[in-house]
């Protein structure tokens, strides 16, 4: 069915993915073509799933864990809430919560870093999800109090989705000029189906070389705003010699400007630059001081 939807033929390798041992239970894979398998007897269970995290985690949560709980009468749940923060480092977050991480046992706190965000993971074990959420709420409140305004989202929320919601709340649109980020900001907003996104332009890395970078960033934001008839403009210009990015976010309620450096340009660095720019936009829209 998925190949019919994609309008492409299934290869022989794809067809093999539909094979299963006699008596096996298939696990639905909502994010890929390969189903999982559950084969078991009195000795135990063999559970096979694709290794792609996006596929494996969904199958585990939707199918495997409910199956095991039902078959083996497993009581209770372990529920997780992930708080996301950007614009600060993992060590800074750790310094704000080290005592909680060291002393709490249920719920527990862990900190994970990635190019996209620092994730604060709060997990609780309880009889029901509602009970677990009540336990998590108390810790969630403590974490937010220690980092006021810096948590941009939870669980599946993305920085681009949060920014879009904030712009829509004001009935504002945004247009973008990018150099260093190579169109990644626009790509994220499009993928998020952001109604606030009016359009964007990608320019050469050295497009503004030799100019006053601060003025160039402001000019590029205003140009994007004018070209796409948007309420707001975001401009990122790059000085490739100094390896600095100069940015300006122009809104009807005032502007914000910033500067950052980069060691090189690759996918990970561009991702960090993209989410940092969106986080600066979020902070301006929410009135959070940098």
């Amino acid at each position: 069915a998925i190949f019919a939807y994609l309008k492409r033929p299934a290869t022989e390798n794809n067809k093999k993915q539909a094979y299963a041992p006699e008596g096996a239970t298939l696990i639905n894979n909502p994010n890929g073509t390969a189903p999982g398998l559950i084969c078991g007897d009195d000795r135990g269970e063999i559970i096979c799933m694709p290794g792609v995290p996006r596929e494996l985690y969904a199958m585990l949560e939707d199918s495997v864990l409910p199956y095991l709980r039902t078959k083996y009468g497993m009581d209770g749940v372990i529920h997780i809430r992930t708080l996301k923060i950007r614009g600060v480092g993992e060590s800074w977050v750790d310094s704000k919560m080290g005592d909680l991480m060291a002393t709490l046992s249920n719920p527990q706190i862990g900190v994970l870093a990635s190019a996209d965000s620092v994730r604060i993971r709060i997990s609780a074990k309880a009889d029901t999800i509602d009970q677990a959420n009540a336990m998590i709420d108390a810790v969630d409140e403590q974490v937010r109090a220690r980092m006021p305004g810096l948590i941009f989202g939870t669980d599946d929320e993305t920085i681009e989705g949060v920014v879009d919601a904030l712009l829509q709340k004001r009935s504002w649109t945004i247009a973008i000029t990018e150099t260093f980020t190579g169109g990644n900001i626009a790509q994220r907003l499009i993928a998020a189906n952001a109604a606030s996104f009016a359009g964007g332009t990608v320019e050469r890395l050295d497009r503004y070389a030799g100019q006053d970078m601060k003025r160039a960033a402001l000019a590029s934001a205003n140009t994007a705003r004018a070209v796409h008839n948007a309420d707001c403009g975001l401009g990122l210009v790059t000085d490739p010699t100094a390896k600095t990015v100069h940015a300006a976010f122009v809104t009807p309620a005032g502007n914000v400007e910033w500067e950052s450096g980069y060691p090189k340009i690759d996918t990970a660095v561009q991702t960090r630059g993209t989410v940092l720019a969106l986080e600066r936009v979020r902070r301006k829209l929410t009135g959070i001081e940098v």
Side-chain angles (χ1 to χ4, degrees), residues 89-108:
E90 180 186 6
S91 58
W92 185 88
V93 174
D94 185 78
S95 72
K96 295 293 183 180
M97 302 190 311
D99 59 319
L100 295 178
M101 296 170 66
T103 57
L104 292 178
S105 58
N106 187 30
Q108 291 182 323

Side-chain angles (χ1 to χ4, degrees), residues 192-210:
N193 196 28
S196 62
F197 180 55
T201 302
V202 179
E203 296 186 327
R204 287 174 54 89
L205 196 66
D206 60 357
R207 166 68 174 78
Y208 299 92

Side-chain angles (χ1 to χ4, degrees), residues 23-27 36-40 45-48 63-64 67-68:
T25 300
L26 294 180
I27 306 172
L37 297 171
I38 299 176
C39 301
E45 306 285 345
I46 296 175
I47 300 174
C48 304
S63 302
V64 174
Y67 168 82
L68 293 174

Side-chain angles (χ1 to χ4, degrees), residues 81-85 88-105 107-113 118-123 136 138-148 150-151:
R81 182 183 305 166
T82 302
L83 309 182
K84 297 179 178 179
I85 186 170
V88 296
E90 180 186 6
S91 58
W92 185 88
V93 174
D94 185 78
S95 72
K96 295 293 183 180
M97 302 190 311
D99 59 319
L100 295 178
M101 296 170 66
T103 57
L104 292 178
S105 58
Q108 291 182 323
I109 297 182
V111 177
L112 305 169
V118 176
R119 292 166 290 160
I120 304 166
R121 179 172 148 151
I122 309 172
S123 60
I136 290 171
V139 178
D140 184 319
E141 186 177 350
Q142 292 184 66
V143 171
R144 291 176 188 269
R146 296 181 182 204
M147 295 176 286
L150 295 184
I151 306 297

